[in-house]
Amino acid sequence: MTETTENKDLVQEDVQAEKTAEEVAQTEVQEEVELSIEEQYEAKLAELQAKLDDEENRHLRLRADFDNLRRRQQLDREAAEKYRAQSLLSDLLPVLDNFERALQVETTSEETASIIKGIEMVYRSLLEATEKEGLQVIKAEGEQFDPNIHQAVMQEQDSEKETGVVVRELQKGYILKDRVLRPTMVSVNE
């Protein structure tokens, strides 16, 4: 073999080695590009998954808020229906007190007795109408004092009764269903 042939073979080997090196480099670059594209897709996927999770949490919170609002509105409607007459009955309490005072007047003549009888009939009708709406008188005299339904304005001493027992009722108290409209004013035994 001649020197030129050997040189050609060497050159070809060098060219082939360079081509192989270039192919390996290109393959590595392609793999890096493919890896970076995969990494980009994975990053994008992770970002989208995080957004989806946030939106699902937001949706669940909004749904819970909506359910709570609906439940509160239902309770408000029920309370409004249950206590719809509260304002009117509160305004009628002084009228009931005035009727009771009028009925305590002593009569001396037949005319006043018939007027008192008419007042009593109107009073009973008014009481029946208020009771239909749920108004009840709070029992006090002889009962144990309860600060939730009684208002103590005096103390008396009665050795025949226990301590903390209501001795006298000074003004009637009323309850509407389960709400106290006006506590009973009482005198309590010491």
Side-chain angles (χ1 to χ4, degrees):
M1 263 201 214
T2 64
E3 222 176 272
T4 17
T5 316
E6 279 182 20
N7 282 342
K8 280 185 183 177
D9 287 339
L10 283 175
V11 170
Q12 279 180 348
E13 284 177 13
D14 284 342
V15 169
Q16 236 179 7
E18 283 179 18
K19 282 183 184 178
T20 307
E22 283 179 20
E23 287 174 4
V24 168
Q26 281 181 346
T27 306
E28 287 176 358
V29 168
Q30 269 184 332
E31 285 176 3
E32 284 179 17
V33 169
E34 286 176 10
L35 283 178
S36 64
I37 289 174
E38 283 180 23
E39 289 172 353
Q40 288 174 356
Y41 282 140
E42 287 176 7
K44 187 69 171 173
L45 180 64
E47 180 184 332
L48 291 174
Q49 186 64 41
K51 282 183 181 180
L52 177 64
D53 291 343
D54 287 344
E55 289 301 317
E56 283 178 351
N57 287 336
R58 184 172 169 263
H59 171 72
L60 291 174
R61 282 192 305 273
L62 285 173
R63 185 176 175 115
D65 287 345
F66 178 73
D67 289 343
N68 289 338
L69 177 65
R70 191 172 19 149
R71 200 173 312 118
R72 259 184 272 130
Q73 286 177 341
Q74 178 66 25
L75 291 174
D76 289 347
R77 277 194 301 272
E78 288 172 3
E81 177 61 30
K82 186 175 183 181
Y83 303 111
R84 67 181 168 22
Q86 180 174 349
S87 177
L88 175 64
L89 292 174
S90 293
D91 292 342
L92 288 177
L93 293 182
V95 175
L96 291 173
D97 293 338
N98 289 334
F99 270 114
E100 289 171 4
R101 283 188 206 101
L103 292 172
Q104 290 175 353
V105 172
E106 292 185 26
T107 58
T108 54
S109 69
E110 244 179 75
E111 281 182 21
T112 53
S114 65
I115 290 173
I116 293 293
K117 191 171 191 170
I119 290 173
E120 189 176 340
M121 289 170 51
V122 172
Y123 174 68
R124 274 196 231 123
S125 297
L126 183 59
L127 269 181
E128 288 173 13
T130 58
E131 286 172 358
K132 284 180 186 175
E133 289 298 321
L135 187 70
Q136 297 174 350
V137 175
I138 298 173
K139 293 188 178 18
E141 208 165 306
E143 300 286 322
Q144 188 66 30
F145 176 75
D146 181 358
N148 296 317
I149 57 174
H150 300 134
Q151 179 181 0
V153 292
M154 291 175 46
Q155 284 189 341
E156 295 181 18
Q157 200 152 19
D158 188 351
S159 59
E160 296 175 10
K161 295 186 179 178
E162 294 179 30
T163 303
V165 171
V166 174
V167 177
R168 252 187 321 149
E169 178 179 89
L170 304 171
Q171 183 183 35
K172 282 187 179 179
Y174 295 93
I175 292 178
L176 174 62
K177 300 192 175 153
D178 58 356
R179 280 188 186 171
V180 176
L181 285 186
R182 180 175 76 188
T184 306
M185 277 202 256
V186 295
S187 176
V188 181
N189 194 25
E190 288 182 357

